[in-house]
Amino acid sequence: ENRKPRKTPFKKSQSTVGPRLFDRSRSVKELVTEFDALHEEKERERRASMIYKDRTMDSSEVKVSVSATQEDVEAIISNAITTLALISKGLKSIPKKVLGLKMLEQLHMEDNDIVFIPEDISKLHNLKDLALNNNNIITLPHTVGKFRELQSLSLAKNRIVEIPGEIGDMKTLENLLLQTNILATLPKEIGRLTSLKILNLSENSLVVLPDEVGCLESLERLSLQKNKLHTLPKTIGKLRHLTYLSVERNKLSEIPVEVGMLESLEILNLAKNELSTLPEEIKKLSGLEELYLHSNLLKIIPPGIAKLNGLNVLSLYENSLGDIIFDFSSMCSLESLQLQNNRITSVSSSLGELEALKHLNLSWNRLGELPIGVPKLENLQKLQLVGNGLIDLPDMSSLKALEKLRLEYNRIREYPTGINHIKEVELTGNHILEKVAPNGAEENKQTENQEQLRDSEKQEND
């Protein structure tokens, strides 16, 4: 203690940790206690960093660990977390600690066992994305309308039977996903969601839609497949920004003429209903690219379709179409034409004017000869003629782009000419390859194989 301090050319350390930690006036016990406290603090910071990113950091991306536990949630600082994912954790309710995360913007709690949403969830004023898919939720709280920033609400695969009218107060909502629930009606207040772009209501029990659906002025995609709808509201024609409309697997017997006012529509799916005709106004859908009408009651191709010169895909299989007296000449963009499983005996020669056609399916019809227009389809890549009554085929060498030709289960007697360039040719079930066995044994086998093939193709189409 009496020695003079040793001079040194180095500057003193600016750190306050060293002198404070190694101060000789402090006891060993105090030093150990402080060291343990520092260690615990570092460990808490490490655990919290797994599930949140401080808002003061430069990166706008927030990485969330799906391995975060409820203990981790309790360890975080409530005003720092912006994104939280508690997926497949077996949660039966939304933890109270989560409701205290005031800066939370994204909350994903899919694949749990949550039954109800607490009213206090509306206190998450900064929430923009809420996903509670695949839970057991039955209803929504009336406070749902108090969200002022919410843009996406995903509640698919729950047991929701009713939507409160307060949902109309969510002025910022853009995506509303309610597919696979038990909804029978919608509140008329849904029409107040003027920012909504995507509405998915498929796989519910809807019988009717409110007229107010026509007030969704920003709507771009409307999914209504697998419900019990008998009609569509006339106001649907007001959805001028709609690009996608699907009402597949309902009970529609007619389509309102106002559908022709959907000037932005690109994809229209009307398959698996009870339609016997379409309104002439369908021809006004100048931007339509894909039209699905399979599995209906159509006896003729609606003439208005002939004016859709931007159409790429036309699906008409599993109807009651007979002779195709239809003018295809204006459909210069058509690439795929599905006409299988009908009663077609002949097809208009204008079929040969489909310059862009790549895929033609005429399987399981009643054709006795190849339609005259087929050899003119220079860009055709896939031709299916399974299960008809074809006996002879003309020379196929003009179909230079053809890669796949299916001719199973016809009555072809001679090997077709001009098909050597085709990569894949199927001729099973024709007389050129097999002879009928005594007592009809071979015929029975072919019939069985034919039915199996038809069933497998139907499953593939579905």
Side-chain angles (χ1 to χ4, degrees), residues 52 129 144 163 218 342 358:
Y52 80 92
D129 179 7
V144 72
I163 300 294
S218 300
N342 279 284
K358 296 179 180 179

Side-chain angles (χ1 to χ4, degrees), residues 190-191 193-194 196-199 201 209-224 232-247 256 258-266 285:
I190 199 167
L193 298 175
T194 53
L196 199 64
K197 295 181 179 179
I198 298 176
L199 177 58
L201 293 163
L209 294 179
D211 289 340
E212 285 75 11
V213 167
C215 298
L216 300 173
E217 57 189 35
S218 300
L219 199 63
E220 297 176 2
R221 292 180 63 89
L222 178 57
S223 300
L224 295 164
L232 292 176
K234 294 181 179 181
T235 55
I236 200 168
K238 296 180 180 180
L239 304 177
R240 299 301 173 86
H241 293 97
L242 199 67
T243 61
Y244 174 90
L245 173 60
S246 177
V247 287
E258 287 77 8
V259 167
M261 299 168 63
L262 300 174
E263 56 192 30
S264 299
L265 200 62
E266 296 175 359
L285 301 177

Side-chain angles (χ1 to χ4, degrees), residues 7 47 51 54 56 73 85 97 210 264-265 290 325 327 357 360 386 413 428 449 453:
K7 294 182 179 180
R47 293 175 63 197
I51 54 175
D54 198 304
T56 60
V73 176
K97 293 287 186 180
S264 299
L265 200 62
E290 298 178 21
I325 307 171
D327 186 6
L357 197 65
L360 174 61
V386 181
R413 295 171 294 188
T428 305
N449 293 339
L453 180 60

Side-chain angles (χ1 to χ4, degrees), residues 86 91 93-95 107-112 114 131-133 135:
L86 293 169
L91 298 173
S93 61
I94 299 177
L107 176 58
H108 284 229
M109 298 186 69
E110 298 101 319
D111 302 313
N112 283 289
I114 298 170
L132 292 165
N133 301 332
N135 279 282

Side-chain angles (χ1 to χ4, degrees), residues 29 81 85 91 158 174 224 277 292 303 335 338 341 350 355 359 378 400 402 404:
K29 183 176 182 181
I81 185 170
L91 298 173
N158 278 283
E174 295 182 1
L224 295 164
T277 186
Y292 299 94
E335 296 182 1
Q338 307 294 313
N341 292 93
S350 64
E355 297 178 354
H359 182 197
E378 296 181 355
K400 304 206 179 282
L402 197 62
K404 186 171 184 177

